[in-house]
């Protein structure tokens, strides 16, 4: 065998797998940038090729389809508004997943944490009286959504810290459990007859962007997008400018070293997952406060899983996550725009291709870059 | 008679779980996380219907399901083994890929966004739900036999020994000449084929493909794999347990004794309990999920 067998590298004491999706500290700025930017580019290229094949099998011209996709998303205010609305939710789930990744933890539960956050916010909305002061409303809703999502996130965190239960499996299983529970509560106790949603909240609705710029008329984009931007800034500050954030990243990069350095690894673990869940939960406000004003079953189906894609493509950096959220939101909305020419399901395939291509090219790009530098550090 | 009907219904529900969980055990014992079972099943279900529809033979469907599951498994294996992609991310991508692609192909071949036309399958519709109707279906037999066969493969053959070795300690296995990557490729391909068969059973039993028809069954099979502590026989028993709970819920549907949502939760709750080690800790193969790390 000429090259060393890649399957043999992993054994022994290794950093948590999630750390592989984060640009390594220590490398030069240029290398860091290349390692961050190349995989998404490779992924987009591959997605374009797969997209061409799918479009051609349907007997359409790729150029026309891609043009329609762009026209229907960034080409008019309504489409762009829809992109912004979808990106808002994805920023929250993406940040949630990224926070976990920074701590070396894989939170697959954003799907149910988002739903739980939206559910708790809608529940509070049923309790708050109509005249409740608007200034107090938002903090109450944010708290409710954060508690809802955070509680769901804390469960795998505590199980991991206390019993070493693998958070990937626990969060997946918890998705099914929480969604079934919310389904039960909604369908038997809280729903408006003949619908799958709760009654509308009475106070604290947030204005849509269309109320400020009439061009956005009809689109769901609303001022929760401001919260999303604040969350991006806040998470950046937390991760890179606070002690707690440093401890979290230390645990993600090398848990044993972190423990040796006096960091409470178990505590960081469960707090990271609880905070991750809370961020995902706040994402539920985009729908409940900004768009429909009630909790509806399946209001954000898929947004949790796409959050994983967003965190991955955005390299777990708040700025990257913002851009990746726009990319995936564009694809989602673009699918609807091209549906007349090709099945909108095409974009589901493309999203999966992007995820798979980024996942496969991250280690490969790093290896090639290192080889080019003469295999310096390992 | 009621008991017999209960058992027949349980077996009917358990077959796809058994096939997929056998695949899950093999894949995870070799060190590769089997999040992808759901995707394999969905792919197998679609290719089974597609091939049955165009050939008129359910056997062609079975063969196509094996191939369909294997193709998805190959993509996963190449990503995770050759390119060292993170297994969790790659697994999720494979599932999303299977959902998206089957939807796309449903539109392409059958011009529908919900379901395919009817196909023959092995069972004659209206032949009842008892054991008689069940046992004429060769896939049912396959589902019953797959558990002892997997146990034999893992514990009584050189290949099985290698699978277990590369899942526990790949460097040790390599040092005695086991081709680690090749064993893992074979194990993942086998898991794709088995889960694909599970999908074929589902689709042929319902005589059509419907969008997202696996509805989380692959994850129940994964739950059974873990709850069965990565042992084929225990995983098989877990499948039967989960299927029995579902059957009970269907039989009790009128009585409102237990909301269906709570029965749905049973496999997932049990798995979390098993992972937390409340009753006998579930310990995963040592190298599970670690093919990708530098």
């Amino acid at each position: 065998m000429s090259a060393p067998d890649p399957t043999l590298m992993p054994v022994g004491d290794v950093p948590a797998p999630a750390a592989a999706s984060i640009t390594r500290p220590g490398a030069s700025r240029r290398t860091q940038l290349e390692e961050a930017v190349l995989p998404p580019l490779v992924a987009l290229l591959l997605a374009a090729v797969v997209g061409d094949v799918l479009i051609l099998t349907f007997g359409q011209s790729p150029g026309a389809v891609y043009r329609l996709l762009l026209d229907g998303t960034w080409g008019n205010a309504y489409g762009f508004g829809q992109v912004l609305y979808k990106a808002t939710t994805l920023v929250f789930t993406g940040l949630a997943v990224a926070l976990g990744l920074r701590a070396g933890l894989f939170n697959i539960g954003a799907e149910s944490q988002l739903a739980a956050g939206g559910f708790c916010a809608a529940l509070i909305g049923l309790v708050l009286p109509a005249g409740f002061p608007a200034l107090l409303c938002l903090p109450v809703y944010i708290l409710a959504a954060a508690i809802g999502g955070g509680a769901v996130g804390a469960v795998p965190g505590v199980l991991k810290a206390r019993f070493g239960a693998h958070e990937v499996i626990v969060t997946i299983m918890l998705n099914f459990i929480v969604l079934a529970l919310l389904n039960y509560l909604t369908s038997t106790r809280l729903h408006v007859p003949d619908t799958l949603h709760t009654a509308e909240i009475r106070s604290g609705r947030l204005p849509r962007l269309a109320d400020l710029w009439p061009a956005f008329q009809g689109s769901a984009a609303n001022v929760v997008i401001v919260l999303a931007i604040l969350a991006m800034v806040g998470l950046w500050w937390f991760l890179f400018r606070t002690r707690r954030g440093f401890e979290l990243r230390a645990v993600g990069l090398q848990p044993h070293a972190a423990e040796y350095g006096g960091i409470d690894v178990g505590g960081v673990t469960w707090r990271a997952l609880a905070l991750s869940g809370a961020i995902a939960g706040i994402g539920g406000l985009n729908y409940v406060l900004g768009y429909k004003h009630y909790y509806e079953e399946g209001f954000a189906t898929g947004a949790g899983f796409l959050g994983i894609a967003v965190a991955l493509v955005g390299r777990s950096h708040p700025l990257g996550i913002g851009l990746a959220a726009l990319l995936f939101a564009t694809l989602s909305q673009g699918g609807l725009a091209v549906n007349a020419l090709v099945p909108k399901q095409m974009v589901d395939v493309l999203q999966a291709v992007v995820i798979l291509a980024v996942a496969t090219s991250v280690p490969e790009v790093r290896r090639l870059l290192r080889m080019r530098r003469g295999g310096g550090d390992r | 008679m009621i008991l017999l009907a209960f058992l027949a219904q349980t077996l009917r529900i358990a077959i796809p779980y058994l096939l997929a969980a056998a695949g899950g055990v093999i894949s995870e014992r070799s060190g590769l996380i089997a999040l992808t079972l759901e995707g394999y099943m969905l792919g197998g279900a679609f290719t089974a219907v597609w091939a049955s529809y165009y050939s008129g033979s359910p056997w062609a469907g079975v063969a196509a399901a094996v191939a369909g599951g294997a193709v998805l498994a190959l993509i996963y294996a190449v990503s995770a083994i050759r390119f060292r992609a993170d297994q969790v991310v790659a697994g999720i991508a494979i599932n999303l890929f299977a959902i998206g692609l089957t939807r796309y192909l449903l539109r392409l071949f059958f011009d529908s966004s919900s379901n395919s036309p009817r196909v023959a399958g092995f069972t004659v519709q209206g032949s009842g739900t008892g054991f008689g109707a069940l046992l004429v279906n060769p896939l049912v037999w396959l589902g019953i036999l797959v558990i002892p066969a997997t146990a034999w493969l893992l514990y009584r053959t050189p290949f099985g020994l290698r699978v277990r070795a590369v899942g526990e300690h790949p460097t040790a296995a390599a040092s005695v000449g086991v081709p680690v990557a090749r064993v893992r490729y074979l194990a993942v391909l086998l898991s794709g084929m088995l889960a694909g068969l599970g999908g074929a059973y589902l689709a042929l039993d319902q005589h059509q493909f419907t969008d997202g028809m696996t509805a989380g069954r692959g994850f129940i099979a994964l739950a059974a794999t873990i709850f069965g502590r990565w042992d084929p026989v225990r995983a098989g028993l877990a499948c039967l347990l989960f299927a029995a709970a579902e059957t009970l819920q269907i039989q009790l549907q009128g009585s409102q004794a237990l909301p269906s949502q709570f029965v749905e939760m049973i496999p997932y709750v049990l798995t979390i309990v098993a992972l937390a080690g409340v009753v006998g800790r579930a310990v995963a193969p040592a190298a599970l999920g670690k093919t990708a790390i530098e």
Side-chain angles (χ1 to χ4, degrees):
Chain A
M1 215 181 294
S2 52
D5 188 335
T7 53
L8 297 183
M9 309 289 198
V11 201
D13 249 0
V14 286
S21 53
I22 298 162
T23 309
R24 289 166 317 128
S28 79
R29 262 223 122 69
R30 178 161 163 228
T31 314
Q32 272 189 5
L33 196 69
E34 284 173 335
E35 281 187 13
V37 172
L38 279 177
L41 287 183
V42 172
L44 281 181
L45 212 65
L46 193 66
V49 172
V50 173
D52 285 352
V53 172
L54 291 180
I55 292 165
L56 289 172
T57 55
F58 221 77
Q60 296 289 345
S61 133
V65 170
Y66 289 138
R67 203 168 309 128
L68 198 60
L69 194 152
L70 279 179
D71 281 350
T73 51
W74 293 66
N76 64 74
Y78 166 75
F80 187 59
Q82 288 297 95
V83 169
L84 288 182
Y85 170 74
K86 292 183 176 181
T88 302
T89 306
L90 291 181
V91 164
F92 283 106
T93 54
L95 290 176
V97 176
L99 178 71
L101 289 177
R102 288 281 177 183
L105 299 162
F106 227 128
N107 178 11
I108 315 285
E111 190 89 9
S112 58
Q113 291 150 5
L114 178 64
F119 181 82
C120 286
L123 216 53
I124 289 294
L126 294 180
V127 179
L128 288 183
F132 200 74
L135 211 60
L136 283 177
C137 269
L138 192 58
V140 170
Y141 280 116
I142 291 177
L143 197 66
I147 289 174
V152 177
V155 173
V158 169
L159 290 179
K160 169 111 184 175
R162 178 80 183 72
F163 302 107
H166 202 300
E167 80 281 1
V168 168
I169 305 296
V170 175
T171 47
I172 289 175
M173 301 294 150
L174 215 52
N175 275 341
F176 290 103
I177 295 170
V178 170
L179 292 176
L181 187 67
L182 295 181
N183 176 336
Y184 168 76
L185 291 173
T186 311
S187 65
T188 60
R189 315 261 165 206
L190 293 165
H191 70 116
V192 176
D194 300 323
T195 68
L196 288 171
H197 60 75
T198 60
E200 290 196 16
I201 59 174
R202 280 166 296 197
S203 54
R205 299 177 183 194
L206 293 174
R208 296 203 188 171
L209 292 190
D211 301 336
L212 309 170
W213 293 286
F216 284 114
Q217 199 57 49
S219 83
N222 59 76
V223 298
V224 174
I225 196 169
V226 178
L227 274 186
I229 294 167
L230 288 177
M232 282 164 59
V233 177
L235 191 69
W236 177 84
W237 180 264
F238 171 74
L239 281 175
F240 300 105
R241 289 290 177 273
T242 69
R243 212 192 87 182
R244 289 256 186 238
F246 172 77
E247 288 185 353
L248 187 145
R249 287 184 297 126
V251 169
L253 287 169
Q254 206 4 298
H256 296 300
E259 193 167 22
Y260 186 71
I263 294 172
D264 169 18
V265 174
V268 169
T269 297
W270 83 259
R271 280 196 301 268
L273 280 173
L275 185 58
S276 170
I279 295 172
I282 295 171
L285 297 181
N286 194 29
Y287 186 85
V288 175
L289 291 191
Y291 182 29
K292 291 283 192 177
H293 312 119
Y294 50 67
Y295 170 83
E296 183 167 28
E297 209 176 291
F299 77 87
T301 305
F305 286 115
L306 278 185
I308 298 165
V310 167
L312 192 75
V313 174
R315 307 311 307 276
S316 297
H317 192 285
L319 188 64
I321 285 165
L323 295 173
L326 282 175
L327 168 70
F328 279 92
T330 303
L331 280 176
S332 294
Q333 181 63 23
L336 302 175
V338 301
N339 202 25
L341 293 182
V342 290
K344 64 173 184 289
Q345 290 82 1
M346 186 188 90
V347 299
D348 298 343
V349 179
L350 296 189
Q351 286 175 340
V353 169
V354 170
I355 302 173
L356 194 62
V358 170
T360 48
S361 57
V362 164
E364 194 69 6
V365 162
R366 186 172 302 168
R367 195 176 64 82
L368 292 175
L369 284 175
R370 212 165 294 163
M371 246 163 64
R372 198 193 60 189
R373 290 201 319 268
D377 52 355
R378 192 156 71 137
Chain B
M1 213 45 224
I2 293 173
L3 185 69
L4 216 57
F6 180 84
L7 290 177
Q9 173 86 321
T10 299
L11 188 63
R12 184 199 185 92
I13 293 175
I15 294 298
Y17 297 163
L18 290 167
L19 286 162
V25 169
I26 295 173
S27 172
E28 298 224 328
R29 284 305 277 265
S30 85
L32 279 110
I33 301 175
L35 286 185
T36 40
L37 293 177
E38 179 81 5
Y40 301 156
M41 283 180 97
L42 199 58
F46 181 85
T47 45
V49 165
W50 177 81
S52 309
Y53 180 78
Y54 285 104
S55 72
S57 154
W59 286 107
V62 170
V66 170
V71 167
L72 288 170
L74 187 65
I75 300 175
Y76 175 55
V78 170
S79 312
I81 300 172
R82 165 66 185 83
F83 289 101
R84 294 191 265 161
D86 187 278
Q87 292 184 11
V88 175
V89 178
I92 289 166
I94 293 287
N95 287 340
L96 293 175
F97 184 70
I99 294 172
L101 193 64
T102 51
R103 279 184 185 155
Y104 183 82
L105 296 176
L106 201 56
R107 286 275 301 267
L108 184 64
F109 286 110
F110 303 119
D111 196 25
S112 160
S113 54
S114 59
N115 59 279
S116 73
R118 283 181 55 79
V119 294
F122 289 107
T123 46
V124 187
Q125 202 165 44
S127 63
T129 53
F131 271 109
L134 209 53
L135 296 183
V136 297
N137 185 343
L139 287 175
V140 170
W141 287 102
L142 212 57
I144 296 170
L145 293 175
V146 74
I147 292 300
T150 306
W152 176 79
L153 182 77
L154 274 179
Y155 298 125
R156 293 276 182 275
T157 66
F159 175 71
L161 180 64
R162 289 173 160 200
V163 166
R164 288 182 289 135
V166 301
E168 289 293 338
H169 205 321
T171 31
S175 69
V176 293
V178 174
V180 175
R182 201 184 310 159
V183 170
R184 283 178 166 160
Y185 273 113
L186 282 175
V188 174
L189 280 180
L190 201 55
S191 81
M193 293 174 183
L194 287 170
L197 280 173
Y201 171 85
L202 270 182
L204 294 178
D205 190 50
Q206 295 177 17
H207 298 275
Q208 63 174 356
F209 178 85
T210 51
D211 177 28
M213 72 184 302
T214 47
R217 285 185 178 82
F219 288 106
I220 293 187
L222 177 66
T225 302
I226 297 163
F227 187 60
R229 296 187 218 165
W230 296 273
D231 173 77
V233 175
R234 286 209 203 105
L237 291 176
C239 291
L240 291 174
L241 174 69
F242 297 165
E246 259 180 75
T247 308
L248 200 63
Q249 185 256 315
I250 293 168
Q251 309 252 331
L252 291 178
Q253 209 142 44
S255 71
Q256 298 287 328
L258 192 60
S260 64
Q261 290 92 346
F262 287 94
V263 179
E264 281 171 31
M265 290 178 201
I266 290 174
Y268 310 117
V269 171
L270 286 180
T271 304
I272 291 181
V273 168
L275 276 175
V278 178
V279 255
R281 179 72 160 274
V283 178
L288 182 61
K290 291 184 183 165
T291 55
I293 307 144
E294 298 165 65

